[in-house]
Amino acid sequence: MPNSSALPNNPIFRLKKILVARNDKLGDFMLAYPSFAMLKENLPSVHVTALVPRYTADMAKCCPWIDEVLIDPISEAEKGGIWALTTLFKQKKFDAIIVLFSTTRVGLAAWLAGVPYRLAPATKVAQVLFNRTVVQRRSESIQPEHTYNSDLIKHFLRER
């Protein structure tokens, strides 16, 4: 029996809008550049949006593989942050979200917004909010950060 994720009725075949979240540190965002390149080179017609903090936005706008930059509206510490992010995700109608560095807030917002495909590292409690996960041992620092990011994109592309 074929793998169900490879069947033509899989929503990944109909993807038009993908959000890639890397909304932590500037250096970590820069290490995500190869992931954006891999994604866009394999799916050139898909609209790729990056979710970043305000201080990373200028770097994201310079990235040739990102079609749109969303600034994370509210920091985790501020009340209402999940609702602001959920509203943003609903308005943009993303088909998929790939979270390169998992946080509960982003996972919960994607789940509440009804994003059908949600992929993140299976490294934190937040993993229960995603319907696809990849086991990574980031805390062991066995690989460079850019490799962990790329592994998530490779997983996503294999499911096509």
Side-chain angles (χ1 to χ4, degrees):
M1 175 171 230
N3 178 345
S4 63
S5 67
L7 295 175
N9 64 356
N10 186 335
I12 199 165
F13 282 95
R14 298 184 299 273
L15 293 176
K16 291 188 172 105
K17 295 177 77 176
I18 299 172
L19 174 69
V20 179
R22 188 69 211 218
N23 58 336
D24 54 341
K25 300 175 189 85
L26 177 62
D28 289 327
F29 175 77
M30 293 305 303
L31 293 173
Y33 258 48
S35 298
F36 286 103
M38 185 186 313
L39 185 60
K40 197 64 171 174
E41 287 168 5
N42 282 277
L43 300 170
S45 64
V46 170
H47 186 85
V48 176
T49 301
L51 177 70
V52 299
R54 186 168 307 284
Y55 60 84
T56 305
D58 288 340
M59 288 303 268
K61 289 174 185 173
C62 292
C63 183
W65 306 288
I66 296 173
D67 299 307
E68 181 179 6
V69 175
L70 289 183
I71 297 171
D72 194 345
I74 300 176
S75 72
E76 281 190 59
E78 292 183 34
K79 187 175 183 173
I82 290 172
W83 300 117
L85 205 52
T86 300
T87 300
L88 185 60
F89 291 172
K90 281 182 180 180
Q91 289 171 345
K92 293 294 183 174
K93 298 180 182 170
F94 294 111
D95 301 306
I97 181 169
I98 303 169
V99 179
L100 299 179
F101 182 77
S102 184
T103 66
T104 302
R105 186 174 65 91
V106 173
L108 183 57
W111 180 75
L112 289 170
V115 178
Y117 183 102
R118 301 177 308 277
L119 171 66
T123 55
K124 296 181 179 183
V125 174
Q127 70 182 313
V128 301
L129 299 166
F130 297 91
N131 54 12
R132 304 287 200 289
T133 58
V134 175
V135 175
Q136 297 183 323
R137 306 277 187 248
R138 288 178 181 228
S139 62
E140 296 175 6
S141 298
I142 295 170
Q143 304 178 81
E145 184 67 22
H146 71 87
T147 303
Y148 290 118
N149 295 333
S150 295
D151 286 349
L152 286 162
I153 301 300
K154 288 176 188 174
H155 178 86
F156 173 80
L157 293 171
R158 276 194 303 270
E159 288 199 327
R160 296 186 50 238

